[in-house]
Amino acid sequence: MSSYVFLTECADFGEAQVVKSFLVSQGFHPKVRDEQMRTVAPHLQNLLGKLVIEIPEVEFMSASEALEGLEKQRLEIVRPEDHDEQAAALAITQGTAKRSLINAVLGCVFIPVLCNLYSMFLTWKVLAEERPLSRISRTRIALATIFNILGFYFWLTFGLKHFLQNM
């Protein structure tokens, strides 16, 4: 009987079963360490950590190559239209960040509160899309936030007093 060696680890039980099934279909004899324990006591999964798939030592190299071949098949092919969609989404995000910054500056200079609130809404809109931001967009969002803070500070500190004195 050959000894078993570490082949890979999986994040959850479903992934381990898929990898094990793939290896069995390729003619290997894998086993999942603590498989029965996880089946009987699933509440102990966090205590046991990641699932480890082991393989007989004599099958290690060929099983490793089979898994590498599977990983190569999973790589995505980037199509030009996907890149165009990403570029368009990035342009929209940059434009919204720019409008946010402009409204924040206007809120500090001309029309307080309204422009700042609109700028905050645009900032939230950019951040809620959960897309990666370019360096330009991050800078614009950061500057808009700073101008919004300054605008609200000066309006609430000095503008409200001046407005109430003139009434």
Side-chain angles (χ1 to χ4, degrees):
M1 183 171 180
S2 65
S3 63
Y4 280 79
V5 294
F6 171 84
L7 179 64
T8 188
E9 63 182 22
C10 300
D12 60 8
F13 194 68
E15 181 183 357
Q17 290 301 316
V18 169
V19 172
K20 181 181 174 184
S21 296
F22 171 75
L23 291 171
V24 168
S25 71
Q26 298 295 316
F28 301 110
H29 301 91
K31 73 175 188 176
V32 179
R33 189 185 308 159
D34 301 326
E35 182 176 18
Q36 281 74 27
M37 173 68 99
R38 291 173 192 272
T39 305
V40 173
H43 58 281
L44 295 177
Q45 285 193 15
N46 290 336
L47 179 68
L48 296 172
K50 293 190 175 192
L51 287 140
V52 174
I53 297 181
E54 297 177 330
I55 196 92
E57 193 172 0
V58 295
E59 298 177 352
F60 175 75
M61 288 305 290
S62 51
S64 177
E65 290 171 0
L67 278 180
E68 285 179 16
L70 181 65
E71 281 296 318
K72 288 179 183 176
Q73 291 175 1
R74 289 180 49 192
L75 293 176
E76 286 186 35
I77 297 172
V78 178
R79 296 183 305 262
E81 56 269 6
D82 291 343
H83 181 68
D84 292 341
E85 290 174 10
Q86 291 174 352
L90 184 64
I92 291 171
T93 302
Q94 285 182 348
T96 306
K98 183 177 181 179
R99 285 189 299 158
S100 175
L101 177 59
I102 290 170
N103 279 288
V105 172
L106 287 176
C108 288
V109 178
F110 295 115
I111 309 165
V113 181
L114 292 176
C115 286
N116 292 112
L117 288 174
Y118 183 63
S119 174
M120 289 171 43
F121 169 74
L122 291 173
T123 300
W124 173 79
K125 188 176 175 182
V126 168
L127 296 176
E129 291 177 2
E130 296 182 3
R131 291 189 185 134
L133 297 176
S134 67
R135 185 181 59 81
I136 295 169
S137 294
R138 283 193 308 268
T139 304
R140 288 176 178 166
I141 291 297
L143 288 173
T145 303
I146 290 170
F147 279 113
N148 284 328
I149 290 169
L150 290 174
F152 276 115
Y153 173 76
F154 286 117
W155 170 249
L156 294 175
T157 305
F158 304 110
L160 198 54
K161 289 179 186 176
H162 180 70
F163 179 73
L164 292 176
Q165 286 177 353
N166 290 337
M167 285 185 88

